[in-house]
């Protein structure tokens, strides 16, 4: 009896992420570090440009504001680690199509939030709480890297989508 056998070809593995995409994903994680450390310093009582009265009245520090500010730092850094999933060859918690859609949505959201933050940073109200001079300069330096994240995330997402689109059509 001649049995008909059909060979099932395995799904080809996606091409590895290019070096520039891996570096961009790591840069995103690093861009979030300075602002997170600045927030933790603020929660720890280090002078960052706000008076004690502003810390109490506006940020509720000491108090629940400490948990909020530290939690925001932790959540921000965890979110900044997400792009590493897009360049990882080892761990894939979601299907490529789902991860790609999630990454594109995240990229779009980051662009909108970055534009909104630029507007907020230059309003009169946001500048009245912080003392002028060196404190504002330090604040600008630690938060400036966050502005690079939307562009980096979009580039990493594009690379991921391109690699997995080619795989899906093969």
């Amino acid at each position: 009896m001649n049995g008909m056998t059909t060979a099932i070809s395995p799904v080809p593995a996606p091409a590895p992420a290019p070096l520039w995409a891996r570096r961009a994903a790591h840069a995103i994680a690093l861009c979030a570090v300075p602002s997170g450390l600045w927030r933790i310093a603020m929660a720890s009582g280090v002078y960052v440009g706000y008076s004690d009265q502003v810390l109490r009245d506006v940020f509720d520090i000491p108090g629940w504001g400490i948990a909020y500010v530290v939690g925001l730092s932790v959540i921000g850094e965890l979110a900044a680690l997400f792009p590493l999933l897009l360049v990882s060859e080892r761990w894939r918690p979601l299907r490529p199509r789902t991860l790609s859609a999630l990454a594109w949505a995240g990229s779009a959201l980051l662009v909108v939030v970055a534009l909104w933050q630029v507007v907020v940073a230059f309003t009169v109200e946001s500048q009245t709480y912080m003392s002028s001079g060196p404190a504002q300069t330090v604040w600008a330096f630690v938060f400036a890297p966050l502005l690079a994240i939307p562009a980096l995330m979009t580039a990493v997402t594009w690379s991921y989508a391109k690699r997995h689109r080619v795989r899906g059509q093969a």
Side-chain angles (χ1 to χ4, degrees):
M1 221 188 228
N2 235 352
M4 184 182 261
T5 60
T6 58
I8 299 174
S9 62
V11 176
L19 181 61
W20 67 263
R22 288 195 306 265
R23 287 183 177 166
H26 285 87
I28 291 170
L30 292 175
C31 284
V33 171
S35 60
L37 292 175
W38 183 88
R39 285 188 196 105
I40 290 171
M42 182 173 93
S44 300
V46 174
Y47 178 73
V48 294
Y50 294 118
S51 68
D52 289 339
Q53 182 180 357
V54 169
L55 288 175
R56 277 191 311 275
D57 297 344
V58 177
F59 297 104
D60 196 23
I61 295 175
W64 284 103
I66 293 173
Y68 171 75
V69 170
V70 171
L72 186 62
S73 297
V74 170
I75 290 170
E77 190 58 44
L78 289 174
L81 293 174
F82 170 77
L84 294 176
L85 288 176
L86 301 175
V87 297
S88 173
E89 303 302 322
R90 295 182 184 164
W91 189 62
R92 294 203 174 88
L94 300 170
R95 293 180 316 174
R97 179 173 279 172
T98 304
L99 192 57
S100 182
L102 187 61
W104 279 120
S107 293
L109 181 65
L110 283 169
V111 169
V112 170
V113 168
L115 292 173
W116 174 64
Q117 286 298 318
V118 168
V119 170
V120 169
F122 290 109
T123 62
V124 175
E125 183 180 334
S126 68
Q127 293 181 8
T128 58
Y129 294 132
M130 185 175 284
S131 64
S132 60
Q136 282 185 334
T137 303
V138 169
W139 177 86
F141 276 116
V142 299
F143 280 89
L146 295 179
L147 294 175
I149 291 177
L152 292 169
M153 180 64 184
T154 301
V156 171
T157 300
W158 175 80
S159 172
Y160 179 83
K162 181 180 173 190
R163 285 181 291 120
H164 288 275
R165 186 177 326 121
V166 170
R167 175 184 154 208
Q169 292 174 350

